């Protein structure tokens, strides 16, 4: 049920078309809650049918013109209800960790190279988040909404920092294992 709430959040930040939402997901929300173009459009239809959003009137009627959406009061109320509700954390499910556990019984062939690849991917993501932080959150930008958005970004930075440190330790451990890895 979180995709509709991600879309409501994005539309409350700025009324948008489906294409604009897709682009915004790719640049911000998608870092922690991804959705395909098709999922976003399908959900926009559901949200409109439920009365949470509406299509903004076009400035000039034109065939094939993109529709922009805005959140209605019922949509804002639903987002507020969902935000205030408690949710338990989701159990950790990570294929890499499962593969590492399996390597303990079947051998580590190929795994070290993939750990190195993962490390590089996490380093790149960390660098991207740090660049976003430098660009979008300079010192003194501390309005409440900015502070909350920055908090989300810092969660991403902390997670990528964790993964880069953990993968570095895992690769050190691989270097100490006997025999071919």
């Amino acid at each position: 049920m979180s995709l509709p709430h991600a879309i409501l959040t994005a539309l409350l930040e700025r009324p948008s078309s489906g294409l604009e939402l897709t682009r915004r997901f790719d640049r911000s929300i998608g870092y922690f809650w991804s959705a395909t173009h098709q999922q976003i459009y399908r959900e926009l239809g559901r949200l409109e049918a439920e009365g949470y959003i509406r299509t903004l009137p076009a400035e000039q009627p034109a065939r094939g013109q993109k529709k922009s959406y805005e959140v209605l009061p019922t949509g804002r109320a639903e987002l507020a209800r969902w935000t205030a509700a408690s949710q338990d954390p989701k159990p950790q499910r990570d294929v890499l960790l499962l593969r590492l556990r399996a390597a303990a019984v079947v051998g580590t062939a190929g795994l070290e190279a993939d750990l190195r690849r993962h490390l590089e991917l996490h380093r790149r993501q960390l660098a991207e988040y740090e660049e976003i932080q430098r660009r979008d959150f300079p010192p003194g930008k501390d309005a409440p909404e900015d502070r909350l958005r920055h908090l989300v970004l810092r969660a991403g930075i902390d997670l990528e920092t964790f993964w880069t440190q953990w993968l570095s330790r895992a690769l050190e451990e691989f270097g100490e294992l006997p025999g071919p890895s």
Side-chain angles (χ1 to χ4, degrees):
M1 184 77 175
S2 296
L3 179 56
H5 298 100
I7 291 172
L8 288 171
T9 299
L11 289 174
L12 279 169
E13 290 174 341
R14 184 173 68 240
S16 304
S17 69
L19 181 58
E20 291 166 337
L21 277 173
T22 300
R23 289 180 179 149
R24 289 173 58 205
F25 265 70
D26 289 344
R27 289 189 320 266
S28 61
I29 291 174
Y31 286 120
F32 57 91
W33 196 267
S34 62
T36 65
H37 186 78
Q38 294 85 358
Q39 290 171 317
I40 290 171
Y41 273 94
R42 191 169 39 246
E43 205 55 56
L44 284 169
R46 286 187 192 130
L47 289 167
E48 190 169 29
E50 292 174 13
Y52 290 152
I53 64 173
R54 73 174 181 117
T55 305
L56 288 169
E59 291 179 17
Q60 295 179 343
R63 185 182 163 133
Q65 184 176 3
K66 66 182 178 181
K67 295 193 276 185
S68 288
Y69 300 89
E70 71 176 352
V71 177
L72 295 170
T74 55
R76 179 181 283 276
E78 168 54 22
L79 186 60
R81 181 209 59 77
W82 179 78
T83 301
S86 67
Q87 292 183 345
D88 292 335
K90 298 286 182 205
Q92 174 75 14
R93 290 181 63 172
D94 191 290
V95 171
L96 182 62
L97 297 177
L98 182 58
R99 289 174 55 221
L100 195 58
R101 179 72 183 252
V105 292
V106 298
T108 61
L111 193 53
E112 184 173 3
D114 204 37
L115 288 173
R116 290 186 190 289
R117 186 180 69 82
H118 276 253
L119 177 58
E120 181 55 32
L121 291 170
H122 285 289
R123 282 180 174 157
R124 276 192 250 150
Q125 189 63 64
L126 177 59
E128 187 172 341
Y129 286 162
E130 288 172 336
E131 176 55 32
I132 292 169
Q133 181 172 250
R134 278 188 290 280
R135 181 190 71 218
D136 295 350
F137 298 101
K141 187 173 183 179
D142 61 353
E145 60 274 11
D146 292 326
R147 292 174 70 182
L148 292 173
R149 289 181 186 119
H150 194 191
L151 191 60
V152 173
L153 177 62
R154 284 196 310 251
I157 290 170
D158 290 348
L159 285 169
E160 294 304 327
T161 299
F162 161 78
W163 279 112
T164 57
Q165 291 172 349
W166 182 86
L167 285 159
S168 295
R169 280 195 304 271
L171 286 164
E172 287 174 17
E173 198 68 38
F174 260 71
E176 297 174 11
L177 293 175
S181 55

